[in-house]
């Protein structure tokens, strides 16, 4: 039974043997020498296809030194035959380098079992390698097109498989036609397109897979549009450093999972650079000093493999869109930043980071947003430090609506000069909020309902500008400061209004002079009362009094004419609501002088100079000791009224005699205007009471 099974198995194997026609390579080469068309389909080619030993016309062309060192010759063979070997298998090396193919070359769906070498060749009409399998290896390459020139109408490598070894297109020139690598698989080793030139026609690497090793397009030039849509770089490093994209560059949905993605110094000069939905999971993403002259879209991109480095990148297109992108691949600040936009320039249009998630350090130190609005609304800085130190928002509004800062947020010396600065409902949850020396000069400043869980630092910050034709609103209404808020040396220009309605804070270090001297106001009654309590808590009694004075003034101005308005006006005028003692002193001086002038007229007062005379009384019966009995005789002599006497009399009357110690030997008596004397004495009692009240609230509590 075993013997029968073996016989049947052998028979089955023989029946399944390859039935394709076998063609010798020498036959094909001989036809090429004769200039005959090569037409084969579904055949097996046995032997090497090597043009090196064939007698063919030649041409002399120029070669660069680097090309010569890579075995490219200045004398090349001219192949006049059209070559069509399709759906076949070539069981030998294919040595078609250093040749000019004047007709179409078509190897569609053919399998190269050994190495293939097309380096230095020129495909003048068209080259079709779609569906080709490069399974073998020549030296280290399965397919080498080093320095090849594709000048025909099409260059078709769609769904080709490069599995036998490395793939070399270094220095290749695609000078005309459409170049198609759609679905191509580079699995045998590294893929080298360094210095390749795609100067004409669209280039398509859509859903291509680079899984065999690194893929390098360093220094490549793409003259028209290029697509790497959903391409997968899983084999290693993906290098595009120094490349030039003169048309649209489409990397939408591309996945860089094998290693770093290197786009350093790349120039995107076309209308659009699309990285929407791209995934950088294999390592760092380097865009250092790249230039985006057109629109740049990284919407929904995921940077999870390492640092995303956009340092000194310039975005000069209509927009730079990072909406809902995720930066989560950094090293928690140990080796670098998660998202590094230090010195980046957004000069062409809006910069959109709406809903973006920063899982580690987000570094925008010195970034310039000069082209339009900067949108960070709903952004989440959840991984650590957010650094906007020295950033400039000069192109439009800076919108941080509902942004969440889980770590410290640093806006030290940031400039908001392009429009409104919107931090409504922003959450500074895990660290300090540093706006020291920031300048808000472009528009309104909104911190409504913002939440500061740690210290809020606004020291030396500038709100507003010197342009009096423009008004500014700085609003903190309903903001919550869980810790202290520092506004010392902050500047509020005269055209600025501060709104602290319903804001809550433990202590706010906001000197009143910062607000009041520039005619700003805290807003409603509750804000004033809260500030007064705050100043009393800090021991800033003068600030508390100044705030109280402004509060009473504001209420008085808003009142309709009524008894309360009259009494408030009287309090304001007479003693500044109890916090302006000098104002009361002014009234006292004025009234004393006024009544003194009245008492100067006629013989209103008389002046008496008192003289005391002492006489000793002798008593012989008294015991002898050192004491003596004396009799004191006082005589009054009418004196002459001089210039100061009416005013001294007025002062004594106003103070009800409290100032008589100033002239102990003189007495004044009113001869006329006795009713005025009574009136002055009553006024004096009132104003002295007001003065004592004001002094108690001010000078005595310093």
């Amino acid at each position: 039974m075993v013997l029968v099974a073996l016989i049947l198995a052998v028979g089955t194997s023989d029946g399944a043997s390859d039935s394709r026609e076998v063609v010798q390579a020498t036959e094909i080469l001989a036809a090429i020498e004769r200039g005959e068309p090569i037409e084969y389909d579904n055949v097996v080619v046995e032997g090497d296809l090597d043009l090196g030993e064939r007698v063919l016309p030649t041409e002399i062309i120029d070669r660069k030194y680097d090309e010569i060192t890579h075995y490219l010759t200045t004398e090349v063979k001219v192949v006049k035959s059209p070559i069509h070997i399709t759906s076949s298998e070539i069981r030998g090396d294919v040595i078609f380098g250093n040749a000019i193919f004047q007709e179409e070359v078509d190897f569609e769906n053919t399998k190269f079992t050994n190495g293939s070498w097309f380096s230095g060749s020129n495909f003048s009409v068209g080259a079709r390698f779609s569906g080709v399998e490069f399974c073998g290896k020549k030296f280290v390459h399965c397919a080498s097109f080093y320095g090849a020139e594709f000048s025909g109408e099409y260059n078709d490598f769609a769904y080709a498989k490069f599995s036998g070894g490395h793939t070399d297109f270094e220095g290749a020139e695609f000078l005309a036609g459409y170049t198609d690598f759609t679905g191509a698989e580079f699995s045998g080793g590294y893929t080298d397109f360094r210095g390749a030139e795609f100067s004409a026609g669209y280039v398509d690497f859509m859903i291509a897979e680079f899984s065999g090793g690194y893929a390098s397009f360093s220094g490549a030039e793409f003259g028209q549009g290029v697509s790497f849509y959903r391409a997968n770089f899983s084999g290693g490093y993906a290098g595009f450093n120094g490349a030039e994209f003169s048309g649209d560059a489409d990397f939408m949905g591309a996945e860089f999972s094998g290693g770093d993605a290197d786009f350093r110094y790349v120039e995107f000069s076309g209308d659009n650079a699309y990285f929407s939905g791209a995934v950088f999971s294999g390592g760092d993403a380097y865009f250092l000093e790249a230039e985006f002259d057109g629109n740049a879209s990284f919407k929904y991109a995921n940077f999870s493999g390492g640092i995303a480095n956009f340092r000194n990148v310039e975005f000069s297109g209509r927009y730079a869109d990072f909406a809902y992108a995720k930066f989560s691949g950094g090293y928690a600040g140990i080796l670098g930043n998660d998202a590094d936009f230090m010195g980046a320039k957004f000069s062409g249009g809006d910069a959109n980071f709406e809903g973006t998630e920063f899982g580690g350090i987000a570094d925008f130190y010195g970034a310039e947003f000069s082209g339009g609005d900067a949108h960070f609304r709903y952004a989440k800085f959840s991984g650590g430090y957010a650094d906007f130190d020295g950033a400039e928002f000069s192109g439009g509004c800076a919108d941080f609506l509902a942004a969440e800062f889980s770590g410290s947020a640093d806006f030290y010396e940031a400039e908001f000069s392009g429009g409104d600065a919107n931090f409504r409902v922003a959450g500074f949850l895990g660290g300090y909020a540093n706006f020291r020396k920031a300048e808000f000069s472009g528009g309104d400043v909104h911190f409504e309902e913002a939440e500061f869980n740690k210290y809020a630092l606004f020291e030396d910050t500038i709100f507003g500008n010197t342009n009096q034709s423009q008004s500014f609103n700085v609003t903190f209404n309903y903001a919550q400061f869980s810790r202290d808020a520092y506004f010392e040396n902050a500047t509020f220009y005269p055209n600025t209004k501060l709104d602290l309605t319903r804001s809550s804070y433990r202590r706010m270090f906001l000197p009143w002079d910062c607000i009041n001297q520039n005619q700003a106001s805290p807003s409603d009654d509750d804000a004033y009362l809260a500030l007064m309590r705050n100043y009393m808590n800090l021991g800033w009694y003068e600030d508390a009094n100044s705030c109280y004075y402004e509060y009473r003034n504001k209420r008085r101005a808003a009142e309709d004419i009524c008894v309360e308005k009259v009494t408030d006006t009287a309090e304001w005028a007479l003693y500044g609501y109890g916090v302006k003692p000098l104002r009361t002193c002014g009234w006292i001086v004025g009234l004393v002088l006024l009544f003194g002038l009245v008492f100067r007229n006629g013989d209103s007062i008389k002046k008496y100079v008192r003289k005391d005379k002492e006489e000793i009384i002798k008593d012989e019966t008294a015991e002898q000791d050192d004491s003596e009995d004396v009799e004191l005789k006082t005589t009054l002599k009418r004196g002459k009224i001089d210039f100061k006497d009416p005013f001294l009399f007025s002062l004594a009357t106003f103070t009800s005699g409290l100032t008589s110690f100033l002239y102990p030997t003189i007495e004044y008596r009113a001869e006329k205007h006795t009713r005025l004397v009574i009136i002055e004495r009553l006024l004096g009692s009132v104003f002295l009471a007001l003065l004592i009240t004001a002094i108690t609230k001010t000078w005595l509590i310093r």
Side-chain angles (χ1 to χ4, degrees), residues 17-315:
S17 61
D18 196 340
S19 60
R20 292 177 297 178
E21 179 184 358
V22 175
V23 178
Q24 296 299 319
T26 54
E27 179 182 337
I28 297 174
L29 293 172
I32 291 176
E33 280 185 303
R34 295 190 297 270
E36 298 174 357
I38 307 301
E39 294 283 349
Y40 292 98
D41 181 70
N42 196 29
V43 300
V44 174
V45 178
E46 291 286 357
D48 296 337
L49 289 174
D50 187 354
L51 297 177
E53 302 299 326
R54 295 294 166 171
V55 179
L56 292 168
T58 61
E59 287 186 11
I60 303 299
I61 62 174
D62 293 330
R63 293 290 193 191
K64 300 176 182 178
Y65 175 78
D66 288 345
E67 293 176 330
I68 294 175
T69 60
H70 282 76
Y71 308 107
L72 304 192
T73 61
T74 56
E75 183 180 12
V76 297
K77 298 182 182 296
V78 177
V79 178
K80 298 181 179 180
S81 302
I83 299 175
H84 295 272
I85 304 176
T86 59
S87 301
S88 300
E89 181 178 348
I90 301 175
R91 296 175 177 173
D93 292 335
V94 178
I95 312 297
F96 274 17
N98 290 318
I100 297 176
F101 296 92
Q102 294 183 340
E103 299 294 336
E104 182 182 50
V105 176
D106 183 1
F107 288 94
E108 185 176 11
N109 295 324
T110 293
K111 182 177 182 180
F112 293 76
T113 58
N114 287 8
S116 55
W117 195 72
F118 291 88
S119 297
S121 291
N122 185 325
F123 299 87
S124 303
V125 176
R128 178 171 284 117
F129 291 84
S130 55
V132 168
E133 294 184 35
F134 296 92
C135 302
K137 181 183 296 186
K138 181 67 174 178
F139 303 116
V140 296
H141 298 104
C142 67
S144 178
F145 290 84
Y146 177 90
E149 183 175 316
F150 298 84
S151 54
E153 295 181 0
Y154 57 87
N155 313 298
D156 189 358
F157 290 84
Y159 298 99
K161 295 181 180 180
F162 301 84
S163 59
H166 304 313
T167 303
D168 189 3
F169 281 87
E170 182 181 355
E173 298 181 6
F174 299 83
L175 304 179
Y178 172 60
T179 301
D180 189 4
F181 283 88
T182 300
E185 297 180 12
F186 302 86
S187 59
Y190 64 73
T191 303
D192 192 353
F193 280 87
R194 287 178 298 169
E197 182 178 343
F198 303 86
S199 58
Y202 193 77
V203 181
D204 199 345
F205 283 88
M206 183 173 63
I207 64 174
E209 292 191 12
F210 301 86
S211 58
Y214 70 77
S216 180
F217 290 82
S218 300
E221 298 180 14
F222 299 88
Q224 301 295 323
V226 58
S227 174
F228 285 87
Y229 174 79
R230 295 186 66 183
N232 191 340
F233 298 84
S234 60
Y237 164 87
F240 289 85
N241 49 304
E244 295 182 14
F245 296 86
S246 300
D248 288 351
D250 184 0
F251 287 85
M252 291 177 63
E255 185 171 348
F256 301 85
S257 58
D260 294 344
D262 189 355
F263 289 86
R264 290 175 298 169
Y265 315 110
V266 172
E267 183 175 351
F268 298 91
S269 57
D271 292 335
N272 301 285
Y274 297 111
F275 287 85
S276 303
V279 177
F280 300 85
S281 59
D284 297 335
Y286 290 105
F287 287 84
L288 176 69
E289 296 189 21
E291 296 182 12
F292 293 85
D293 296 337
N295 304 322
S297 177
F298 288 83
K299 194 171 185 177
Y300 293 104
N302 191 333
F303 299 86
S304 59
I307 298 169
N309 188 343
F310 288 85
R311 184 173 295 194
N312 297 325
V313 172
E314 183 167 353
F315 299 90

Side-chain angles (χ1 to χ4, degrees), residues 7 35 43 178 198 218 266 275 293 472 528 597 643 648 677 679:
I7 293 173
V43 300
Y178 172 60
F198 303 86
S218 300
V266 172
F275 287 85
D293 296 337
F472 297 91
Y528 278 104
L597 291 173
F643 176 80
L648 290 174
V677 173
I679 292 173

